C-alpha cells in the first residue's frame, strides 16, 4: 500500500511555513490521540501517521530531502524504504514540551508508554567521494563503516551473562518521573535519568561492553547513488547506523556526496567543459582530433578557419539528469597553442606569413558567453 503524502497527512500545502506545520500537527494530534479515542484502531493509525509526517517536515534537512525525492528516496533504505523507527507518543510529548497524553484534564501523563522505550541509535554521517565518471551514470558503492553493534557477550542487555537487571530505585520501575505543574492542574512527565526510561538498571555490568550493551564494530554497506548528484547532496540509509541503547533499533546513516576534482573536465550543472589545445595550422586548415569524454575517447572534426575560443557541443556526452530524463552535453572550447621556442627557419616562415593580409587579425565580435549560446541554439 502506497504511503500517503506527508503534506496531505497534515492537511497543509507544500509551501507551508514551519509555524503552519506545527499548528496543523497539534490540532490533528490532539484530535486523534489514543487517549481521546480508546479502542479506535483507525485513530491510532492516524496518530502514528501524523507523528511520522511531523518528524520529517519539522526537520529542515529531512523536509528538503523529502521535497526533492518524496517517499522514493534514492539510495539503499531511503525515505521510501522501511517504515521510520519513530515513537509517535515521544514526538507528541516532545512537541508539548514534556507533557504526554491528553486523558483527564488534570493528567497530561499517559501511563507506561515511556517504559522500555526503544530509542534508535544516533545518526551517522559519512562522506562519499565520487568521480565525474561515477556521477555521470550512477553507481553502487560498497564502503566500510564503523558503527555500534549489539554486544555479542551479553546480547545487548548490558548485564554480565548469568545475571539479571534490577528495578530502578529512582522511578520504581516506571521508567518515568511525574511532577505536578501549574499548581497541580497538570502532571508533567519526564523520562527517568537513572534508567533512561527502561525501568531497570544493571547491577553487574557486562565486562565486554561495560554495561552499554553495544560494542564498536565494522561492516560493509552498499550505497546506491543515482546519476546526476552533486557536492552537498545526501542520501539517507535508513536503519543502517548505530544500534540504539537499551536494545533499541539502528539509527540512520547520512551519506554526503563530495565530487572529486577531474583531471580534464569542469562541470557546469549537467554539462562538462573541456579545453582543447590545437596548433595554428590545425585551426587554419582544419583537422580531425581525438578528445577525452566521460565514456572514453571520441573523434571531433575541427573545420578550417576555427577561431580561438570556438565552442563545439558534443550532445549527450555530459551527465544524466538527477531523477529525470535526458543527459547533459560536453562543451569543447578551442584554444590555439602558441609555441615558445622556434628555430630560425620557423621564424622566417612565420615572418613571411605575417605579411599576408589573410594572417592579420580581425576584431572579435563575440565573447565567451555568446559562443556558449551559439553552441546551444
Amino acid at each position: 500500500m502506497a504511503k500517503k503524502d506527508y503534506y496531505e497527512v497534515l492537511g497543509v500545502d507544500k509551501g507551508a511555513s514551519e509555524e503552519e506545520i506545527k499548528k496543523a500537527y497539534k490540532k490533528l494530534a490532539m484530535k486523534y490521540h489514543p487517549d481521546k479515542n480508546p479502542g479506535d484502531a483507525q485513530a491510532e493509525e492516524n496518530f502514528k501517521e501524523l507523528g511520522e509526517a511531523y518528524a520529517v517536515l519539522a526537520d529542515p534537512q529531512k523536509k528538503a530531502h523529502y521535497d526533492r525525492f518524496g517517499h522514493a528516496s534514492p539510495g539503499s533504505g531511503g525515505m521510501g524504504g522501511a517504515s521510520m523507527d519513530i515513537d509517535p507518543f515521544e514526538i507528541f510529548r516532545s512537541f508539548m514540551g514534556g507533557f504526554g497524553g491528553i486523558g483527564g484534564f488534570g493528567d497530561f501523563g499517559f501511563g507506561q508508554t515511556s517504559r522500555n522505550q526503544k530509542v534508535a541509535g544516533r545518526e551517522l554521517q559519512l562522506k562519499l567521494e565520487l568521480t565525474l565518471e561515477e556521477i555521470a551514470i550512477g553507481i553502487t558503492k560498497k564502503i566500510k563503516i564503523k558503527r555500534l553493534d549489539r554486544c555479542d557477550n551479553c546480547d545487548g542487555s548490558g548485564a554480565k551473562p548469568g545475571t539479571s537487571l534490577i528495578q530502578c530505585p529512582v522511578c520504581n520501575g516506571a521508567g518515568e518521573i511525574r511532577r505536578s505543574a501549574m499548581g497541580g492542574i497538570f502532571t508533567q512527565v519526564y523520562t527517568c535519568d537513572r534508567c533512561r526510561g527502561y525501568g531497570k538498571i544493571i547491577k553487574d555490568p557486562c565486562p565486554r561492553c561495560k554495561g552499554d550493551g553495544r560494542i564498536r564494530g565494522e561492516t560493509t554497506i552498499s550505497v546506491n547513488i543515482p546519476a546526476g548528484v552533486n557536492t552537498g547532496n545526501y542520501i539517507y540509509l535508513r536503519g543502517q547506523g548505530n544500534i540504539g541503547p537499551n536494545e533499541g533499533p539502528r539509527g540512520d546513516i547520512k551519506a554526503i556526496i563530495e565530487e572529486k576534482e577531474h583531471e580534464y573536465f569542469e562541470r557546469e550543472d549537467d554539462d562538462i567543459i573541456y579545453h582543447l589545445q590545437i596548433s595554428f595550422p590545425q585551426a587554419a586548415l582544419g583537422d580531425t582530433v581525438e578528445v577525452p569524454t566521460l565514456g572514453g575517447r571520441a573523434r571531433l572534426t575541427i573545420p578550417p578557419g576555427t577561431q580561438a575560443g570556438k565552442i563545439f557541443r558534443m550532445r549527450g556526452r555530459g551527465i544524466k539528469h538527477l531523477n529525470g530524463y535526458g543527459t547533459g552535453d560536453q562543451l569543447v572550447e578551442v584554444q590555439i597553442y602558441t609555441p615558445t621556442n622556434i628555430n630560425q627557419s620557423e621564424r622566417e616562415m612565420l615572418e613571411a606569413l605575417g605579411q599576408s593580409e589573410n594572417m592579420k587579425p580581425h576584431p572579435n565580435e563575440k565573447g565567451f558567453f555568446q559562443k556558449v549560446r551559439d553552441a546551444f541554439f
Side-chain angles (χ1 to χ4, degrees), residues 264-268 270-278 282 287-294 296-303 306-318 328-336 367-368 370-376:
Y264 302 122
F265 304 118
E266 297 172 11
R267 181 176 179 181
E268 184 66 34
D270 287 339
D271 296 328
I272 58 171
I273 300 170
Y274 176 69
H275 302 286
L276 172 67
Q277 280 199 341
I278 62 174
Q282 286 177 299
D287 198 1
T288 298
V289 297
E290 278 195 345
V291 295
T293 72
L294 292 175
R297 301 190 71 82
R299 296 176 72 83
L300 176 68
T301 299
I302 307 295
T306 294
Q307 302 296 305
K310 172 68 177 178
I311 295 173
F312 296 98
R313 178 178 60 178
M314 303 177 74
R315 290 181 178 274
R317 296 279 187 173
D329 300 326
Q330 177 168 324
L331 304 181
V332 180
E333 182 194 12
V334 172
Q335 298 175 345
I336 308 298
F368 174 78
Q370 181 60 46
K371 291 171 184 175
V372 173
R373 182 179 177 83
D374 289 347
F376 278 96

Side-chain angles (χ1 to χ4, degrees), residues 230-245:
N230 213 328
T231 294
N233 291 157
Y234 54 89
I235 297 170
Y236 271 114
L237 308 175
R238 300 296 184 188
Q240 297 196 51
N242 290 322
I243 201 163

